[in-house]
Amino acid sequence: MDNHYMRRALDLARLAEGDTSPNPGVGAVLVANDRIIGEGFHRAHGQAHAEVMAIRSVRSEDKDLIRTSVLYVTLEPCCVFGRTPPCTDLILSSGIRKVVVSCIDQSPGVNRKGIHILQEKGIEVIENVRQQEGEYQALARNTYVSQNRPYVILKMAISQDGFIGQEEKQVILSNAASWRLVHRLRHRVDSILIGTRTALIDNPRLTNRLFWGSDPLRVVPDFNYRLQPDLTLFSCPGKTWIIRNQESSTDQHWPEQVSIKILPAESGLSGILSLLATSGKTSVLVEGGAKLIRSFLDEDLWDEAIISSTDEFLGSGIPGPTGFTEPEDLFVLGTNRFQWFRNPRYKP
């Protein structure tokens, strides 16, 4: 039954997708006598963790069962003080005798220490139940804390004949259903990165309008000072960063929600990702264009990619990046066919 109850915990964790960063989404289930007596999930950064929510949810008539219950949790319980006390302390004080964990929390100060603390106090710990699903849910957080960069998702739309766009002309290759999926992706991430050319030609808003949730941070490199304050993304709700190599004494007046960030010229993509990580951004959606996406591929600074292809033929234009391995998943939304790829480093 461990798989069954862990599946429930993983489903609970997904309820807060996009709302917990820089913390991971975590779900927890308390089971006694083959019955769920409590469950919960981490709703937002700074709020109670999943283990706390699960224990709090137990009805008064079931409180005595907590000491004989099994706790299923999607991520290793924390053992450090942050905005909330360590969950290992709560587990020990509650009398729970068995904990089932899906995957390890790689955060400094945790990283198996939470499991060791529980085991040293005589609590049985079962690890790696539905491990792949748990690790995928925790990837943004674990990438952030272990590699000092956000988790990178590449997103692009390609014509039937392999073109991502055309020079100096906006090309729309997505249908209405695809747009909603993209906005769900925007809800999932902390930030969106596009190239200067995409900002100038497409003049996008990059907001989350078709799915509930807040707008992610918008990021645009502008090393040649081509961007103008009248572009749409600078007047939309939410914050925007413009990345440059040096300040300009003749710079124009930007809206108050726009910040100019200076990085040394040699910093490259790694510098941008490090800057985002320093600001607590655990994930970034790269929405184009072709040159920017190609750079992430060449430097192996990506984690997953979502490519939608349409039945439309462009005949000519900017070739889409190639070189992806076999997709992990395929699905169709209307006239768009989606392929989901993961970086080969994640393959067993």
Side-chain angles (χ1 to χ4, degrees), residues 11-222:
D11 287 343
L12 288 168
R14 293 187 189 96
L15 294 177
E17 185 179 67
D19 297 328
T20 63
S21 182
N23 287 353
V26 181
V29 174
L30 268 176
V31 177
N33 302 326
D34 291 328
R35 177 171 65 89
I36 294 177
I37 62 170
E39 61 181 25
F41 60 95
H42 180 45
R43 295 178 179 271
H45 181 234
Q47 295 188 17
H49 287 190
E51 298 92 327
V52 177
M53 299 299 290
I55 292 173
R56 284 179 182 174
S57 74
V58 178
R59 296 178 299 181
S60 57
E61 59 266 34
D62 288 333
K63 293 291 186 183
D64 290 341
L65 295 176
I66 294 177
R67 292 183 174 275
T68 60
S69 67
V70 179
L71 174 65
Y72 294 84
V73 61
T74 60
L75 191 68
E76 173 187 7
C78 68
C79 56
V80 295
F81 279 92
R83 291 194 175 189
T84 59
C87 289
T88 49
D89 288 359
L90 175 65
I91 293 169
L92 292 172
S93 64
S94 69
I96 293 170
R97 304 309 302 167
K98 181 177 179 180
V99 177
V100 181
V101 176
S102 179
C103 69
I104 300 301
D105 183 348
Q106 296 177 16
S107 299
V110 188
N111 205 14
R112 300 196 63 83
K113 185 177 178 181
I115 288 175
H116 291 158
I117 288 173
L118 296 177
Q119 290 174 330
E120 288 171 356
K121 296 296 183 178
I123 294 178
E124 180 185 1
V125 179
I126 306 296
E127 299 182 51
N128 304 329
V129 175
R130 304 190 82 101
Q131 181 181 2
Q132 289 187 343
E133 295 171 67
E135 287 178 342
Y136 181 70
Q137 281 195 350
L139 260 180
R141 170 67 180 186
N142 280 339
T143 299
Y144 170 69
V145 297
S146 64
Q147 300 184 41
N148 189 37
R149 68 164 177 85
Y151 185 79
V152 177
I153 304 171
L154 307 179
K155 175 264 171 186
M156 68 199 88
I158 296 179
S159 67
Q160 186 68 29
D161 48 352
F163 296 104
I164 198 172
Q166 294 182 326
E167 294 289 350
E168 307 307 318
K169 177 183 177 182
Q170 184 183 23
V171 176
I172 298 176
L173 296 172
S174 300
N175 59 30
S178 298
W179 292 337
R180 185 168 179 82
L181 175 63
V182 170
H183 285 232
R184 180 178 180 179
L185 279 171
R186 291 177 181 176
H187 166 71
R188 173 183 166 189
V189 300
D190 299 330
S191 54
I192 299 176
L193 178 64
I194 62 170
T196 307
R197 180 186 175 280
T198 299
L200 291 171
I201 295 176
D202 292 353
N203 195 19
R205 283 178 280 182
L206 300 182
T207 54
N208 177 21
R209 304 179 303 280
L210 303 179
F211 200 79
W212 64 275
S214 58
D215 296 312
L217 170 71
R218 300 177 289 267
V219 183
V220 190
D222 182 31

Side-chain angles (χ1 to χ4, degrees), residues 304-344:
E304 64 180 89
I306 299 173
I307 301 177
S308 65
S309 57
T310 178
D311 55 5
E312 181 178 351
F313 285 84
L314 293 181
S316 64
I318 303 168
T322 58
F324 291 99
T325 56
E326 287 296 314
E328 299 279 329
D329 195 11
L330 298 167
F331 59 95
V332 176
L333 288 176
T335 56
N336 288 158
R337 178 174 179 267
F338 283 83
Q339 295 179 297
W340 175 55
F341 300 87
R342 297 188 70 191
N343 191 301

Side-chain angles (χ1 to χ4, degrees), residues 204-279:
R205 283 178 280 182
L206 300 182
T207 54
N208 177 21
R209 304 179 303 280
L210 303 179
F211 200 79
W212 64 275
S214 58
D215 296 312
L217 170 71
R218 300 177 289 267
V219 183
V220 190
D222 182 31
F223 302 130
N224 296 315
Y225 303 89
R226 299 173 62 196
L227 300 179
Q228 300 295 323
D230 60 354
L231 288 173
T232 301
L233 76 154
F234 299 137
S235 59
C236 288
K239 296 182 179 180
T240 302
W241 285 1
I242 297 173
I243 308 293
R244 291 180 171 170
N245 295 146
Q246 60 184 1
E247 296 182 7
S248 172
S249 58
T250 60
D251 211 347
Q252 303 182 56
H253 177 71
W254 297 92
E256 62 179 2
Q257 65 264 39
V258 177
S259 299
I260 307 296
K261 302 292 183 179
I262 307 300
L263 284 177
E266 64 273 14
S267 297
L269 293 180
S270 294
I272 295 175
L273 295 180
S274 179
L275 180 64
L276 286 169
T278 301
S279 300

